[in-house]
Amino acid sequence: MITGFESDLAILLLAFALIFSAFIGWWTYSGNKRLPEGVRWLNISLRSLAIFILLLLLFNPVYEFEDSRTLKNDIAVLIDNSRSTTIEKGEWKGEESMRDVIRELNLSDTTSTRYRVYGFDSDIFSTTPDSLPLDGSITDINRSLNSLHQAGSTPDAIILVTDGIFNRGLDPTRAAERIGAPFFTVAVGDTTAVRDVLVRNVFYNSTAFTNTTGSLRAEILNDGFPDRSIEVQLYRNNELAAVQTIQTTQDRSVHNVEFEVDFTEEGTERFRVEIPELGEEWTTSNNAYSFTIDVLDDQVRILHLAFEIHPDVSSLRNLLATDESILAEFRTWTGGDRFIGGSTPASADTLDLIIFHGFPHRQMDAGLRSNLAELAAEANLLLLTLPGTDLDNLQSDLQNTAPIRQRAASPVGVILPELNAAESEHAIFDFEVPGNLNRGPELRGPVRNYASASLARDLIFTNHRNETTDVPMLSVQQLGNNRVSQLNAWQWHRWQQSTLSEHREFYRNLMNNLVKWTSTGVSDGLLEFSPSRSSFDEGEAITFRASVQTETGQPDNEARVSVQISGEEFDTQDFVMRSLGSGRFRLETRPLPAGTYRYEAVAQRGSTEIDRQNGSFTVNESIVEFMDTMRRDELLRFIAETTDGSFFTSNQTDLLRIELQSRGFDEFRTETFTSARRAHHSGWWFLAVILIVGVEWSIRKVYDVA
């Protein structure tokens, strides 16, 4: 079928083209008396036809061909790989029952059906039915369904085999609806209520320091044991270190138990909170919670010099004082060369970081400015602005080491922070940054005529009157082996006092990471590499960050960083880090099983090795899969109903096959499709025009018509 002439205008133009072609053909031979009458009308017809074909091609007509093909039905099968499916409870025999269900699905019969088999826990992964390890420590059904939706073509149907229990992510119902295919849910596991006592969570700091005391808080859940004394034990390096007893009064209750731990030696300490087995417990798999704490031999030594009495000063000092990893000294300038809290040190040899809060003050004399600038040049430096800061002379007093430069006098106004998206992977932002920073409490600071130094990196820009400016609010840079950071805004105490927790958390995380990153300084090597944390929980992705610089201290944009990870019961794996630009790299691996791992990172430029770093991290065993064991039939039934599918239990796989057959999913399907081709893409039309014109001129030649 030819298309392109559906509109009235196209039909009118086509009729005009036909009349025009006939007229030209007639007019060409209207005065010719040498040709016989019949031959003359033949040439008129040939000439008209050739012209009409050329005009017809100008309409760009399209050929449409209908065809059909026979295809297999495409069914995606998602099988729950989490540990909760292996729990033996009621009539459910754990892994044995799960393997039976998978076998009864008969996914090997691909005569008329194509099965795409995926396992899922924290996300989906391609697999075969017989190779599922059933060892996932996290279940995120919503993320898994979203990944399936983004993977490619929509399947004709989806078989979801799961207990419906998810311990991470959102409710998966909306994700199932977005896929646009019917879900046939198969509920595995058991709905029997059981008696259990478990260690639901332990709250602790993953890093501690020698000669300090840390607090561990264990959350104990009692389900079905009223009026019982339950012993809670703390093991340290596999030795019993402390015991506490809780008394239950109800069938279901939550108890908090705290332990105090002294740290005296550097190293990695292994802890385990454990509840001895109680009679009539359905399982003891969740009676213990293991974790590690890295004990460091040194604390971050900070000198905080405030040059003004301001709420920002007390807010930051409270934050520093409550962090056990920080050993801070506080001085407050009162005029002249006097400081409350003691005199300023003559040298910065024992300091990891100096914080200038409000330096230089407008009333400070030149001698003190010079002395403090010399002290700041010996250590890592963090500059924080206050209303009395002499911004006009900041650069000259610090000999142009500040990362933010004043180009001209600038008014001070109401501002808000705006994250620089290009720097969102910076280590300082190693936390969840809220998306509504421009709705936070108002800050004060310069609104224009500021720029960053050539080697500085702008992490946060200034938002003024709901418009993002090019004025940096937070910039960082490296000078030699020292780091210098500058936060050019004040009134941050309003964020600490905000009624919204996300604003309070942003302030706390930003200041904490800014202080820690700046105090670290630059290593002597050309490669800086480290995991985002020293310990992870099972089910968490393992993330690493790295930066590479040249021998001149510039970011190395031609480098390549590879990482090798090995463990006692883990096959060595090699990874290549993703480049973020400016000499920065990032790597995120899949979750790893519990254990201790070693890593070795190698930076190369071409085939030449630049530098290498090695170290270790731990993955703590997770019991989150054993906390909730009640199969969620209601959720699976609702997903099936809202997607026009069906719900089945694990002993109804035969009914599932009957349902698929009744809907025709076990038969080949015929798909009709239309292919289109533009007429001018075919050379036959032009060959026809040449042939027609050739016949016409041959006739003219025979009758000797010029």
Side-chain angles (χ1 to χ4, degrees):
M1 181 177 67
I2 300 179
T3 62
F5 306 103
E6 289 80 4
S7 67
D8 293 339
L9 178 61
I11 295 174
L12 181 63
L13 292 176
L14 183 63
F16 175 77
L18 181 60
I19 296 172
F20 178 77
S21 302
F23 172 76
I24 294 297
W26 173 81
W27 178 78
T28 303
Y29 289 95
S30 61
N32 192 310
K33 304 299 183 182
R34 302 179 60 180
L35 291 174
E37 186 71 14
V39 174
R40 185 165 64 88
W41 281 106
L42 176 61
N43 274 20
I44 291 173
S45 300
L46 291 173
R47 175 68 61 93
S48 300
L49 180 60
I51 295 173
F52 179 71
I53 291 175
L54 293 177
L55 291 176
L56 178 67
L57 293 177
L58 292 177
F59 283 87
N60 197 18
V62 176
Y63 292 110
E64 287 189 352
F65 303 94
E66 284 194 355
D67 200 356
S68 61
R69 56 189 173 188
T70 302
L71 300 173
K72 292 182 178 181
N73 282 288
D74 179 25
I75 298 181
V77 184
L78 275 67
I79 305 176
D80 197 334
N81 184 59
S82 62
R83 291 178 185 170
S84 62
T85 62
T86 65
I87 295 173
E88 298 183 12
K89 186 160 68 79
E91 297 182 356
W92 183 255
K93 303 304 179 184
E95 183 174 350
E96 178 185 347
S97 296
M98 189 67 180
R99 300 289 182 192
D100 289 341
V101 171
I102 296 173
R103 186 165 49 253
E104 291 168 2
L105 289 174
N106 196 22
L107 301 178
S108 59
D109 183 6
T110 58
T111 306
S112 57
T113 305
R114 172 177 175 255
Y115 293 107
R116 283 188 280 160
V117 182
Y118 301 92
F120 72 91
D121 36 52
S122 59
D123 206 343
I124 63 169
F125 56 92
S126 296
T127 185
T128 59
D130 297 332
S131 61
L132 271 176
L134 302 178
D135 61 355
S137 55
I138 291 293
T139 308
D140 191 339
I141 304 177
N142 181 74
R143 181 178 180 181
S144 301
L145 295 183
N146 283 331
S147 297
L148 176 67
H149 185 43
Q150 297 166 6
S153 59
T154 302
D156 298 304
I158 298 172
I159 299 176
L160 180 63
V161 184
T162 179
D163 53 18
I165 302 170
F166 60 92
N167 42 51
R168 178 176 293 177
L170 303 175
D171 185 299
T173 304
R174 292 295 301 277
E177 293 175 345
R178 282 194 295 268
I179 294 178
F183 272 73
F184 298 89
T185 56
V186 180
V188 298
D190 190 82
T191 59
T192 305
V194 293
R195 303 177 69 190
D196 192 22
V197 61
L198 57 94
V199 184
R200 189 161 72 176
N201 207 347
V202 176
F203 302 91
Y204 63 96
N205 288 324
S206 60
T207 303
F209 295 86
T210 56
N211 303 317
T212 63
T213 299
S215 176
L216 314 175
R217 181 168 63 88
E219 194 175 70
I220 310 300
L221 173 62
N222 156 54
D223 191 359
F225 292 95
D227 301 321
R228 291 285 294 270
S229 295
I230 300 176
E231 192 175 88
V232 183
Q233 302 171 340
L234 175 66
Y235 285 85
R236 183 174 185 173
N237 299 322
N238 291 325
E239 294 183 0
L240 184 62
V243 177
Q244 292 196 36
T245 302
I246 60 175
Q247 182 66 43
T248 66
T249 58
Q250 300 175 347
D251 281 338
R252 185 175 177 87
S253 56
V254 178
H255 306 266
N256 289 301
V257 178
E258 291 196 8
F259 297 95
E260 295 290 331
V261 180
D262 295 325
F263 300 102
T264 57
E265 297 182 1
E266 182 182 9
T268 300
E269 301 263 16
R270 295 182 176 275
F271 292 89
R272 185 173 74 255
V273 176
E274 186 171 321
I275 301 172
E277 181 178 356
L278 301 179
E280 302 177 8
E281 264 195 288
W282 77 273
T283 182
T284 59
S285 299
N286 51 20
N287 282 33
Y289 189 108
S290 300
F291 57 97
T292 59
I293 295 179
D294 286 336
V295 183
L296 306 181
D297 189 35
D298 197 8
Q299 293 173 289
V300 180
R301 295 157 298 178
I302 295 177
L303 174 63
H304 180 267
L305 298 177
F307 299 91
E308 191 173 340
I309 305 298
H310 192 274
D312 281 5
V313 174
S314 59
S315 294
L316 180 59
R317 287 183 173 179
N318 288 336
L319 184 66
L320 298 176
T322 54
D323 192 331
E324 290 188 352
S325 66
I326 293 176
L327 184 62
E329 297 183 27
F330 305 121
R331 306 282 189 273
T332 304
W333 180 68
T334 59
D337 58 358
R338 299 181 301 277
F339 287 87
I340 297 176
S343 60
T344 58
S347 171
D349 291 343
T350 61
L351 297 174
D352 296 305
L353 175 67
I354 296 176
I355 301 177
F356 278 173
H357 212 148
F359 176 88
H361 195 274
R362 295 188 182 90
Q363 299 177 3
M364 186 179 295
D365 61 53
L368 181 58
R369 293 187 184 210
S370 177
N371 293 338
L372 292 176
E374 292 178 3
L375 179 67
E378 301 175 10
N380 300 306
L381 178 64
L382 172 57
L383 299 170
L384 302 174
T385 309
L386 289 175
T389 303
D390 185 3
L391 295 172
D392 296 335
N393 294 305
L394 174 62
Q395 280 297 338
S396 59
D397 286 349
L398 291 179
Q399 300 178 352
N400 292 323
T401 59
I404 299 178
R405 308 291 175 86
Q406 185 184 48
R407 296 180 296 190
S410 172
V412 170
V414 174
I415 59 176
L416 286 167
E418 189 81 32
L419 179 67
N420 181 4
E423 295 287 353
S424 60
E425 294 287 350
H426 194 282
I428 288 178
F429 296 126
D430 189 19
F431 60 92
E432 186 174 351
V433 179
N436 61 342
L437 292 180
N438 56 3
R439 297 182 182 178
E442 293 179 343
L443 302 173
R444 299 278 293 177
V447 298
R448 58 175 177 267
N449 296 331
Y450 273 82
S452 56
S454 58
L455 296 179
R457 294 166 58 181
D458 299 329
L459 306 188
I460 297 178
F461 287 116
T462 294
N463 183 301
H464 179 55
R465 295 177 179 175
N466 292 323
E467 292 186 4
T468 302
T469 69
D470 59 355
V471 175
M473 179 183 293
L474 172 60
S475 294
V476 299
Q477 68 177 350
Q478 299 180 171
L479 299 175
N481 289 331
N482 292 336
R483 286 174 170 166
V484 181
S485 302
Q486 184 175 357
L487 186 57
N488 210 24
W490 59 92
Q491 302 290 35
W492 285 102
H493 69 279
R494 294 180 175 178
W495 286 68
Q496 186 191 45
Q497 299 169 0
S498 172
T499 57
L500 296 179
S501 60
E502 57 185 5
H503 292 152
R504 298 193 300 270
E505 285 297 307
F506 173 76
Y507 169 79
R508 184 182 65 82
N509 289 322
L510 176 66
M511 290 301 182
N512 182 67
N513 288 5
L514 181 59
V515 167
K516 299 288 180 61
W517 182 86
T518 310
S519 64
T520 303
V522 184
S523 64
D524 295 332
L526 302 179
L527 169 65
E528 288 190 40
F529 179 91
S530 64
S532 59
R533 299 199 306 274
S534 58
S535 64
F536 300 85
D537 291 331
E538 274 189 311
E540 282 189 290
I542 314 298
T543 56
F544 301 88
R545 287 188 174 88
S547 62
V548 184
Q549 61 182 13
T550 64
E551 290 77 2
T552 60
Q554 300 297 317
D556 194 334
N557 294 317
E558 299 180 0
R560 174 179 178 273
V561 181
S562 58
V563 184
Q564 187 177 84
I565 300 176
S566 58
E568 296 177 358
E569 299 180 1
F570 177 78
D571 295 335
T572 300
Q573 292 189 10
D574 296 311
F575 303 89
V576 176
M577 301 193 75
R578 177 170 60 93
S579 175
L580 303 175
S582 301
R584 296 172 294 135
F585 300 84
R586 188 177 191 272
L587 170 65
E588 180 175 316
T589 73
R590 280 183 59 86
L592 298 175
T596 300
Y597 297 85
R598 293 197 58 78
Y599 63 81
E600 183 173 43
V602 179
Q604 291 178 300
R605 189 183 303 117
S607 59
T608 303
E609 181 177 316
I610 302 173
D611 196 5
R612 66 173 58 214
Q613 299 285 342
N614 54 61
S616 63
F617 64 91
T618 59
V619 177
N620 301 317
E621 186 175 1
S622 172
I623 62 169
V624 66
E625 284 292 318
F626 301 102
M627 293 181 182
D628 185 357
T629 62
M630 295 286 289
R631 192 178 76 195
R632 300 183 183 179
D633 288 357
E634 295 79 7
L635 173 66
L636 299 180
R637 184 177 286 107
F638 186 72
I639 290 176
E641 291 175 353
T642 56
T643 59
D644 194 29
S646 299
F647 168 81
F648 304 92
T649 58
S650 57
N651 57 356
Q652 295 177 321
T653 53
D654 54 338
L655 298 180
L656 169 62
R657 288 195 298 272
I658 294 173
E659 178 70 11
L660 293 176
Q661 291 173 2
S662 67
R663 297 203 185 193
F665 288 112
D666 66 332
E667 301 174 354
F668 288 97
R669 58 185 174 87
T670 301
E671 181 180 275
T672 302
F673 62 93
T674 301
S675 59
R677 184 178 182 183
R678 299 190 181 278
H680 68 265
H681 288 170
S682 174
W684 291 107
W685 287 102
F686 299 99
L687 182 62
V689 171
I690 293 173
L691 181 61
I692 292 170
V693 173
V695 171
E696 179 196 352
W697 282 98
S698 296
I699 294 173
R700 293 169 64 92
K701 185 69 174 175
V702 169
Y703 288 95
D704 194 22
V705 177

